[in-house]
Amino acid sequence: MKEQNPKTRKILGNPNSGILIALIILVIDYLAVLASEQAACLVRNWIMLPGGGHMHLSWLNVYVICPLIYIVFLHINGLYGGDRQFWRVIAGLFNSSIYFICTVVIFMYDAKITASTSRLYVFLLWIFSFFFLVLFRYILKKIFLKMRLVGEPILLMGAGKTAEVMLRHLRNEHAGFWFMGYLEDNEPNPYVASHLRRLGRFRDAQRVINITGVQRVLVVAPGLPKEATQDIVYDLQPLVKSITFIPDMGNMPLATMDLESLIDGHIVMFRMRNNLKNRWNRLLKFVFDWVLTFFGTIAISPILLIIALWIYHDSPGPVIFKHRRVGRDGKEFNCYKFRSMCVDADVKLKELLEKDPAAREEWNRDFKLKNDPRITKSGHFLRRTSLDELPQIFNVLKGEMSLVGPRPIVQAEVPRYGKFIQDYYMVRPGITGMWQTSGRSDIDYPERVAMDSWYVRNWNVWFDVVLLWRTFSVVFSKKGAY
């Protein structure tokens, strides 16, 4: 591939742009808190029976006290400075929402106004404030990225498969990074080559930095010899603010790994924790699932009724389909779904696999068919939108599933997991998860297994919050669903 010359002018940033962007974000957060207060009040008044009274909000609480408390905690969590991956922003917002609502409750008891304050309003305020803050931040992030108002330019060193995975991830996470180009000694990955311009080879790094003034370098070359890595650090560190390396760590649980260096700096130690061995973490995940599902079930009950009536009139047979799936510790349970197939689906599948070798090969590979003749008219829509999986909320309430976790599998799929089946057995399967939010049926089976294993080994509550958020965009895009 022909190498392109870097820009001849320096890449200069406005020193005041960071302050301006922080102020814009602060204003957006303020508006999000105002919107959440109004929404919580409206929903509370709508839910309460006529005898429950009509709630009015104090202007001082609405426009000053509540937003001020929230903004203080957002600042403490570092959400007004620096570029972060969006999932880390969501984690910070979730932390801030917890601190905010705890402060409100403490203030209520200290001021002895608990009897005159609606507890339902306080709960709804917590839910709506987190939702609106994430939504407003998401929209603002998209605008900033489109206008390139956030993030510094980065020089990418390495353009192999790891670089492709990283680029795809950063695009999905709406991170505030943009790459001015890449350096590569070998043939670049087609995806990287199609999205970034080639500026030369590794030996051209100093020249490119001097010409462009780029201050951040990201080295994505896991196979680089130790000596070559050291040369990059010693040669480039005096020229730039930071050099970041992405080593080849395989599927190791990096999110639960702590790094510690010895005093001389030549040796580092990695300590890995098993978060799921902590009983408080397991309790937190269960309570998080159950509370969210309980109130969510009440909220979507009209939708459940409408879908049930549609299925009933669309094709004969039961509305709910029960299928045996493998759960935590290998125990089987009845997994609930809205029926999306004809009642004699098993007979038709057997006949199809006997007659159609291509369909048989696809079924043996993925346990799914892209053009499945057994699916009903209503079933096509329900599957494309993933609404067929809504009844699994009752599995969550029964303690058989989680909101987030590995995709529930059948007994015939267990051998496909190999040594990773023990990872699957450690948690309850989820309504959504990494596979469901990363392309679903467009992802091959080995990669799906790797995703399930990675989720289990790296689990924390923030991943669950982020994956739930990502589920909405995936469902609306209908990517990989059939």
Side-chain angles (χ1 to χ4, degrees), residues 2-34:
K2 184 179 178 180
E3 297 175 3
Q4 302 179 37
N5 290 324
K7 296 178 180 179
T8 56
R9 64 180 179 87
K10 295 277 186 177
I11 302 174
L12 300 176
N14 184 346
N16 296 320
S17 61
I19 298 176
L20 178 61
I21 289 173
L23 288 175
I24 294 174
I25 296 174
L26 189 148
V27 171
I28 292 299
D29 289 343
Y30 179 81
L31 295 176
V33 176
L34 293 187

Side-chain angles (χ1 to χ4, degrees), residues 85 154-170 175 177 179 192 202 217-225 229 232-233 242-252 254 259 270 454:
Q85 296 180 64
I154 298 175
L155 175 63
L156 181 65
M157 296 185 67
K161 180 63 178 178
T162 305
E164 177 195 349
V165 173
M166 182 208 61
L167 285 176
R168 290 183 184 275
H169 171 77
L170 293 180
F177 306 105
F179 297 93
V192 178
F202 277 19
V217 176
L218 176 59
V219 183
V220 190
L224 207 62
T229 303
I232 290 175
V233 173
S242 68
I243 302 175
T244 304
F245 288 87
I246 297 183
D248 186 5
M249 302 291 285
N251 290 325
M252 293 182 68
L254 303 181
L259 183 148
F270 295 97
W454 192 95

Side-chain angles (χ1 to χ4, degrees), residues 232-286:
I232 290 175
V233 173
Y234 291 129
D235 293 343
L236 303 185
Q237 195 170 30
L239 306 176
V240 298
K241 291 180 181 178
S242 68
I243 302 175
T244 304
F245 288 87
I246 297 183
D248 186 5
M249 302 291 285
N251 290 325
M252 293 182 68
L254 303 181
T256 58
M257 181 182 294
D258 299 321
L259 183 148
E260 184 177 350
S261 63
L262 300 185
I263 190 65
D264 60 5
H266 292 295
I267 298 177
V268 294
M269 298 182 296
F270 295 97
R271 182 176 66 251
M272 286 167 281
R273 293 167 279 105
N274 185 346
N275 284 345
L276 293 171
K277 280 294 184 180
N278 186 308
R279 67 175 65 183
W280 293 110
N281 284 341
R282 294 198 300 270
L283 178 62
L284 174 64
K285 183 172 175 60
F286 177 78

Side-chain angles (χ1 to χ4, degrees), residues 89-151:
V89 173
I90 294 178
L93 294 174
F94 188 78
N95 273 333
S96 300
S97 70
I98 294 291
Y99 298 147
F100 165 75
I101 212 65
C102 289
T103 302
V104 170
V105 171
I106 292 172
F107 173 78
M108 286 167 50
Y109 277 96
D110 186 61
K112 297 181 173 56
I113 57 173
T114 52
S116 59
T117 304
S118 170
R119 293 170 179 81
L120 177 60
Y121 168 77
V122 174
F123 174 78
L124 291 172
L125 177 60
W126 174 46
I127 298 298
F128 279 119
S129 63
F130 174 67
F131 174 79
F132 279 118
L133 280 167
V134 174
L135 179 62
F136 283 29
R137 285 276 188 134
Y138 176 81
I139 295 172
L140 189 63
K141 186 81 168 180
K142 294 279 284 186
I143 296 173
F144 280 171
L145 288 175
K146 191 175 184 64
M147 300 176 65
R148 286 198 170 177
L149 295 177
V150 293

Side-chain angles (χ1 to χ4, degrees), residues 304 307-308 311 318-325 333-341 367-368 375 379 382-384 386-395 401 407-408 410 430-431 435-436 440-441 482:
L304 297 174
I307 294 175
I311 296 172
V319 171
I320 300 294
F321 173 73
K322 294 187 293 185
H323 198 253
R324 297 295 288 176
R325 296 295 173 111
F333 66 96
N334 286 324
C335 182
Y336 304 128
K337 298 180 75 172
F338 279 125
R339 183 173 58 83
S340 59
M341 294 184 178
F367 284 89
K368 294 189 78 173
I375 300 177
L382 295 176
R383 286 186 166 218
R384 293 289 292 176
S386 297
L387 291 174
D388 62 317
E389 298 179 358
L390 281 181
Q392 290 173 14
I393 56 180
F394 299 109
N395 289 117
M401 291 182 65
R407 174 182 172 269
V410 297
I431 297 178
W435 172 77
Q436 294 93 323
R440 292 186 278 186
S441 299
Y482 55 83

Side-chain angles (χ1 to χ4, degrees), residues 388-447:
D388 62 317
E389 298 179 358
L390 281 181
Q392 290 173 14
I393 56 180
F394 299 109
N395 289 117
V396 176
L397 294 175
K398 291 172 64 178
E400 298 166 335
M401 291 182 65
S402 293
L403 285 176
V404 182
R407 174 182 172 269
I409 62 175
V410 297
Q411 200 60 247
E413 294 177 85
V414 170
R416 303 283 292 273
Y417 272 70
K419 65 180 180 180
F420 298 111
I421 191 60
Q422 294 303 322
D423 292 341
Y424 178 90
Y425 289 159
M426 287 177 66
V427 297
R428 298 178 181 88
I431 297 178
T432 187
M434 290 193 66
W435 172 77
Q436 294 93 323
T437 60
S438 301
R440 292 186 278 186
S441 299
D442 291 338
I443 295 175
D444 60 26
Y445 208 98
E447 190 174 355

